[in-house]
Amino acid sequence: MGFFERLKQSLVKTRNQLAEKIEGIIKFSAKIDEDTLEELEEVLISADIGVSASDKLLSQLREKVRAEKIRSPEELKEALKEEIIKVFPAEKLEIVPPTIILVVGVNGVGKTTTIGKLAYRFKTQGKKVILSAADTFRAAAAEQLSIWGQRAGVDVVKHQEGSDPAAVLFDAIQAGKARRADIIICDTAGRLHTKKNLMEELKKLYRVSEKEYPEAKIVSLLVLDATTGQNAIAQAKIFKEAVNISGIVLTKLDGTAKGGVAVAIASELNLPVFFIGVGEGMDDLEEFDPKAFADAIL
Amino acid sequence: MNLPCLLKKGVNDLAFEALTQKLEAVFKRLRGKGKLSEADVKQAMREIRLALLEADVNYKVVKDFVQKVTERAVGQEVMESLTPAQQVIKIVHDELVRLMGPKDTKLNFSQSKVSVFMMVGLQGSGKTTTCGKLGLYLSKMGKRPLLVAADIYRPAAIKQLQVVGEKVGLPVFTMGEQDPVAISKAALEHAFRHGNDVVIIDTAGRLHIDDELMEELERIKEAVTPNEILLVVDSMTGQDAVNVAETFHNRLHLTGLILTKLDGDTRGGAALSIKAVTGCPIKFVGVGEKLTDLEPFYPDRMASRILGMGDVLSLIEKATAAIDQEKARQLEEKIRKEEFTLEDFLEQIKQVRKMGSLDQIMSMIPGFSPQKLQGIEFNEKELVHIEAIINSMTKEERRNPSIINGSRRRRIAMGSGTSVQDVNRLLKQFEQTKKLMKQLSDLEKGRKKGRFKLPFF
């Protein structure tokens, strides 16, 4: 390469760099600069939104800043909130009786409690609900569900500990048909998504639902603990593959955890959040409101 | 030593080579240079920062960590060393191990009285199960634990502990839904009278910001002066782990931590976060659904896992579980004496297959990336062919492949339903494997003499 060519190239490079810098200054005006964005990144990551989803949000934000000539940090925040809200698909959980709801998730996320709350919710809406205690693995899980059933005033179908979960669901479906239940909610044992045999067991529950009650709509709800970090994405992916998850219930949002990983999941897997759990009371289940959620994060 | 065991050795020794692909890419870039500039270290640290954040280490903890490591790495240590990349990785890993260590599973027992262990944590972190596991662990140590059901809030929590107690063969003290402070006191009394030397109190899960319930824990603590207050933390916890651990620690002065659900695929960055904010040792980890699944916490394993090496360790465990130790010893002998035959090769393949699909296994081993195994890349189907080919050989041929001439090759190909080329390829692969194993075993010998050098940099 000749001397002049090299000189020219380096000049072009400098020019480009300068242009970028100036663009940067114009882009963020005096008040919005990279520091502001870094602060926002910290907020997003601290809420468990994760690196890649945060990056995505921020790059969209950058474009918005440019397009809409956003100047003040307040406007910037609002713009970011809008981006977060946009990530969530606007689906609501629609119940068309008869419906079978499979409630799945890893250990300790609050499946049984969520079922208690769901049962109460549907019951107060005038629906007839039957609970199926298909967590036959964890000690006293069926008892726990029965107590919730009593509280909510709905029937519970249960077997002995250690029995076949599919048999419990089968019986619950028969009971549901006989008693003309609108909704059968099936509790399942908590399982790590990495346990292959346990995931197969879950698939079987789905198949039993399809086969024994073809008229029923099957809804699989994934219960996620809001304190969970990035592993929730792997959970959602694998549970979705197994039982075709329709949406998420985000629990334990009454703590300090923000549950931001739901944003990452919505962005990656297009899964809506239907409900949030905000306490241990029967009515501590709320419909998910993306705006309130975004407000809580920022 | 056979292949899986060698892998195990290799993986342990070459731990620093086994980072995530991303980190590998960065260090490949660094590897090319003789010395590290500050910019290089910064570049590497950017990737490490990402890796840590993706592993759920708390944002602030990451910030501090990266800064500290950068300082160390940009200093003379690295700049003047011969292999900078080695040092950077080593510093990162060492720093993680140091922060999470040392390994400490010592439990504090009372000399004269009944010892009191109190288990605390958020809802769903696994306290009740862990109570059972710890009880079993203690009774194996020769202690006589009493489990105490002090979770009066969650429906059927008492029943759950009773069932767990029954499974591990330990007595469970219950008093219905009375005040947990009164339950704890009475349990201590009960233990004293019934010859139990440890009580493990299963408290209710609670949010760290629930002032009323946190106060209840303080009252229990005051009433029974526990020897250990153990915070049970779900290893899948995200950024909030610091808030939880900090609050529990501030209010109760924890003595230790137990990390649960590590049998999943979480990277478990929470371990670093909680250790960083509490300074308490992580004593045990829960690694499965069975009540025997409680293990000591190994900081080095956790460091590797956070950096994305979790799969390697699980592979090691799989390998250990699948391998017959005696056979392994015999094979090691054979490799040493260079008597490794096709029969052994067949045996190896069978053992490796016990661990899972080959793709999976290969992808788990950073040191054995496909590039390193040039020519020995096989897929599942190929394994079936290999088995067929070896099965079509005579014993003599298996022991001494050099006698396999053209006509033997044709016969073997016919017999196994493959082609002569396939047979040739297998023989070549076998030679390569033999060489590789010899190298690894030499490497190991060399290391013992102290002249071991990482071959991958």
Side-chain angles (χ1 to χ4, degrees):
Chain A
M1 198 186 289
F3 173 74
F4 287 104
E5 256 180 299
R6 246 183 294 168
L7 183 68
K8 196 177 144 198
Q9 267 205 348
S10 74
L11 279 177
V12 168
K13 219 170 159 188
T14 317
R15 195 181 64 197
N16 287 345
Q17 277 171 356
L18 258 178
E20 265 176 42
K21 267 189 195 154
I22 292 168
E23 202 184 67
I25 293 165
I26 296 172
K27 231 173 16 190
F28 299 124
S29 74
K31 279 178 183 161
I32 302 169
D33 51 16
E34 280 301 324
D35 283 348
T36 318
L37 284 172
E38 199 176 303
E39 274 167 38
L40 285 178
E41 188 200 28
E42 178 171 349
V43 172
L44 295 179
I45 289 177
S46 299
D48 284 321
I49 290 180
V51 178
S52 57
S54 296
D55 278 355
K56 211 161 139 193
L57 284 172
L58 288 177
S59 71
Q60 283 160 348
L61 185 66
R62 277 198 181 88
E63 254 169 46
K64 214 168 181 180
V65 167
R66 200 176 311 150
E68 298 175 14
K69 303 205 166 40
I70 291 170
R71 300 254 175 258
S72 74
E74 284 71 35
E75 284 175 304
L76 187 73
K77 226 174 174 180
E78 282 311 311
L80 182 54
K81 277 183 197 169
E82 277 169 38
E83 290 302 321
I84 292 175
I85 294 167
K86 264 200 334 217
V87 171
F88 291 101
E91 279 170 59
K92 290 254 179 292
L93 176 62
E94 271 178 58
I95 302 286
V96 195
T99 292
I100 299 174
I101 303 179
L102 286 179
V103 180
V104 303
V106 300
N107 316 64
V109 289
K111 283 177 295 301
T112 310
T113 308
T114 299
I115 290 169
K117 292 173 183 176
L118 281 173
Y120 176 74
R121 184 186 182 86
F122 293 135
K123 167 112 187 181
T124 38
Q125 288 172 357
K127 303 245 169 32
K128 181 156 176 62
V129 182
I130 282 185
L131 304 184
S132 162
D135 178 357
T136 56
F137 181 79
R138 203 199 59 192
E143 277 88 345
Q144 190 185 348
L145 191 70
S146 301
I147 295 171
W148 277 108
Q150 275 167 23
R151 284 184 190 170
V154 303
D155 295 344
V156 179
V157 175
K158 60 175 176 179
H159 286 192
Q160 296 265 311
E161 200 179 306
S163 55
D164 179 12
V168 183
L169 180 57
F170 179 89
D171 280 0
I173 289 172
Q174 302 314 319
K177 284 181 186 165
R179 298 176 212 170
R180 293 177 195 282
D182 300 310
I183 307 167
I184 298 164
I185 310 180
C186 181
D187 192 10
T188 63
R191 65 202 75 217
L192 288 174
H193 51 292
T194 50
K195 307 262 155 108
K196 231 179 156 189
N197 52 338
L198 295 180
M199 294 308 285
E200 289 301 322
E201 182 191 273
L202 210 53
K203 286 186 199 163
K204 187 174 168 193
L205 288 180
Y206 194 87
R207 286 198 302 271
V208 167
S209 309
E210 280 179 323
K211 192 164 165 237
E212 294 306 320
Y213 211 164
E215 313 86 280
K217 185 182 157 195
I218 306 171
V219 175
S220 299
L221 293 183
L222 176 69
V223 182
L224 271 188
D225 183 335
T227 44
T228 311
Q230 299 309 298
N231 193 247
I233 302 170
Q235 292 172 21
K237 252 184 217 160
I238 297 173
F239 274 104
K240 193 177 175 210
E241 273 167 30
V243 290
N244 186 26
I245 300 295
S246 339
I248 288 166
V249 181
L250 200 56
T251 60
K252 308 186 198 175
L253 267 176
D254 44 336
T256 48
K258 300 280 173 56
V261 73
V263 177
I265 291 172
S267 137
E268 206 168 306
L269 303 170
N270 203 35
L271 278 178
V273 178
F274 289 142
F275 298 105
I276 58 170
V278 290
E280 302 204 326
M282 207 140 52
D283 47 7
D284 290 330
L285 186 78
E286 288 172 12
E287 249 174 67
F288 177 71
D289 171 7
K291 193 176 171 311
F293 184 76
D295 283 342
I297 283 178
L298 291 174
Chain B
M1 183 170 298
N2 63 354
L3 186 57
C5 283
L6 275 172
L7 295 185
K8 178 178 167 176
K9 277 275 174 197
V11 166
N12 279 346
D13 294 341
L14 308 173
F16 307 127
E17 213 262 343
L19 299 175
T20 56
Q21 284 177 339
K22 232 193 247 168
L23 283 169
E24 269 175 5
V26 174
F27 293 126
K28 204 179 279 163
R29 258 178 274 147
L30 296 183
R31 221 175 285 162
K33 300 174 186 170
K35 278 186 181 177
L36 279 180
S37 68
E38 193 174 333
D40 284 334
V41 174
K42 284 244 161 81
Q43 174 71 26
M45 287 305 146
R46 229 199 307 275
E47 298 297 341
I48 284 165
R49 175 180 171 271
L50 283 180
L52 294 176
L53 286 174
E54 272 161 17
D56 288 322
V57 181
N58 180 269
Y59 194 88
K60 292 203 179 72
V61 176
V62 171
K63 226 174 178 174
D64 288 351
F65 180 83
V66 166
Q67 201 182 347
K68 206 182 297 170
V69 176
T70 308
E71 274 165 27
R72 278 188 64 184
V74 175
Q76 297 176 344
E77 260 180 282
V78 168
M79 309 315 258
E80 287 175 7
S81 75
L82 271 168
T83 52
Q86 272 178 38
Q87 294 246 350
V88 174
I89 309 170
K90 190 166 153 41
I91 289 170
V92 170
H93 192 273
D94 284 358
E95 195 62 23
L96 281 173
V97 174
R98 198 182 63 77
L99 278 173
M100 291 188 292
K103 187 186 160 216
D104 174 9
T105 53
K106 214 171 77 237
L107 291 164
N108 193 12
F109 293 101
S110 167
Q111 293 302 324
S112 49
K113 305 178 295 187
V114 177
S115 305
V116 179
F117 292 1
M118 187 173 159
M119 313 290 274
V120 300
L122 298 182
Q123 292 97 333
S125 54
K127 282 176 299 306
T128 308
T129 308
T130 307
C131 278
K133 288 180 179 177
L134 188 64
L136 187 64
Y137 177 86
L138 292 175
S139 66
K140 279 183 185 160
M141 273 172 64
K143 298 277 173 192
R144 304 192 47 187
L146 173 71
L147 307 182
V148 181
D151 179 359
I152 59 169
Y153 305 100
R154 191 175 52 127
I158 297 173
K159 181 77 204 285
Q160 188 187 348
L161 190 70
Q162 282 173 327
V163 176
V164 166
E166 201 176 305
K167 277 185 191 153
V168 291
L170 291 176
V172 178
F173 182 83
T174 62
M175 254 170 64
E177 290 170 9
Q178 296 190 40
D179 178 26
V181 180
I183 296 176
S184 306
K185 270 194 200 160
L188 206 57
E189 188 68 23
H190 178 93
F192 185 70
R193 274 189 282 112
H194 291 78
N196 297 107
D197 47 11
V198 190
V199 298
I200 303 174
I201 303 173
D202 181 26
T203 67
R206 63 202 73 215
L207 285 169
H208 51 294
I209 50 166
D210 187 331
D211 209 48
E212 206 178 306
L213 284 179
M214 290 302 284
E215 219 166 82
E216 179 195 280
L217 289 180
E218 287 169 338
R219 282 189 288 123
I220 297 177
K221 183 190 171 185
E222 208 171 303
V224 297
T225 51
N227 302 78
E228 292 281 353
I229 302 176
L230 301 167
L231 179 70
V232 181
V233 185
D234 185 332
S235 59
M236 296 182 278
T237 310
Q239 298 284 320
D240 204 40
V242 288
N243 295 329
V244 174
E246 211 164 24
T247 318
F248 271 96
H249 190 51
N250 286 345
R251 296 196 74 146
L252 296 164
H253 293 288
L254 305 169
T255 61
L257 306 159
I258 296 180
L259 218 50
T260 59
K261 306 178 203 171
L262 259 179
D263 44 332
D265 58 357
T266 179
R267 299 264 292 276
L272 184 62
S273 305
I274 54 178
K275 181 71 211 283
V277 296
T278 63
C280 295
I282 303 170
K283 297 198 166 176
F284 297 97
V285 294
V287 291
E289 306 247 3
K290 289 193 297 296
L291 289 163
T292 46
D293 293 333
L294 186 76
E295 289 179 357
F297 173 76
Y298 294 102
D300 51 339
R301 280 197 199 177
M302 199 66 221
S304 308
R305 182 169 180 151
I306 289 176
L307 290 173
M309 295 169 52
D311 281 341
V312 173
L313 291 161
S314 61
L315 172 73
I316 291 166
E317 266 135 35
K318 271 189 193 166
T320 327
I323 299 313
D324 182 328
Q325 289 304 318
E326 182 55 21
K327 272 187 195 158
R329 203 194 49 73
Q330 285 170 4
L331 262 167
E332 187 179 356
E333 197 61 25
K334 280 184 181 165
I335 293 169
R336 284 251 161 81
K337 293 183 187 155
E338 293 178 56
E339 283 170 1
F340 185 64
T341 67
L342 275 164
E343 254 174 338
D344 302 320
F345 190 50
L346 186 65
E347 185 62 35
Q348 295 272 287
I349 290 169
K350 279 184 186 154
Q351 293 203 337
V352 170
R353 285 181 73 187
K354 267 196 232 165
M355 294 192 286
S357 91
L358 206 64
D359 281 354
Q360 215 184 336
I361 293 167
M362 287 303 172
S363 69
M364 278 179 185
I365 314 165
F368 276 69
S369 52
Q371 300 99 284
K372 292 246 158 57
L373 287 174
Q374 291 153 352
I376 327 179
E377 281 176 63
F378 13 51
N379 62 34
E380 216 67 32
K381 240 198 191 133
E382 229 174 303
L383 271 187
V384 179
H385 290 166
I386 289 171
E387 279 196 63
I389 292 171
I390 300 180
N391 284 332
S392 301
M393 294 178 185
T394 64
K395 279 201 175 133
E396 185 52 31
E397 283 164 350
R398 286 182 212 170
R399 268 179 228 131
N400 186 11
S402 63
I403 61 163
I404 303 177
N405 58 20
S407 77
R408 283 177 191 257
R409 273 168 220 241
R410 265 197 305 281
R411 192 205 76 239
I412 293 166
M414 298 271 277
S416 57
T418 56
S419 65
V420 175
Q421 284 91 332
D422 288 329
V423 178
N424 285 338
R425 193 162 351 130
L426 169 71
L427 291 171
K428 205 172 149 205
Q429 281 175 349
F430 171 67
E431 278 310 314
Q432 279 173 330
T433 309
K434 214 165 141 179
K435 235 185 265 167
L436 187 80
M437 298 183 98
K438 180 78 174 56
Q439 273 173 6
L440 275 169
S441 99
D442 285 350
L443 202 83
E444 201 198 331
K445 267 188 271 173
R447 188 171 167 269
K448 280 181 190 143
K449 287 177 198 150
R451 53 180 172 80
F452 174 74
K453 208 162 160 287
L454 292 171
F456 296 103
F457 292 104

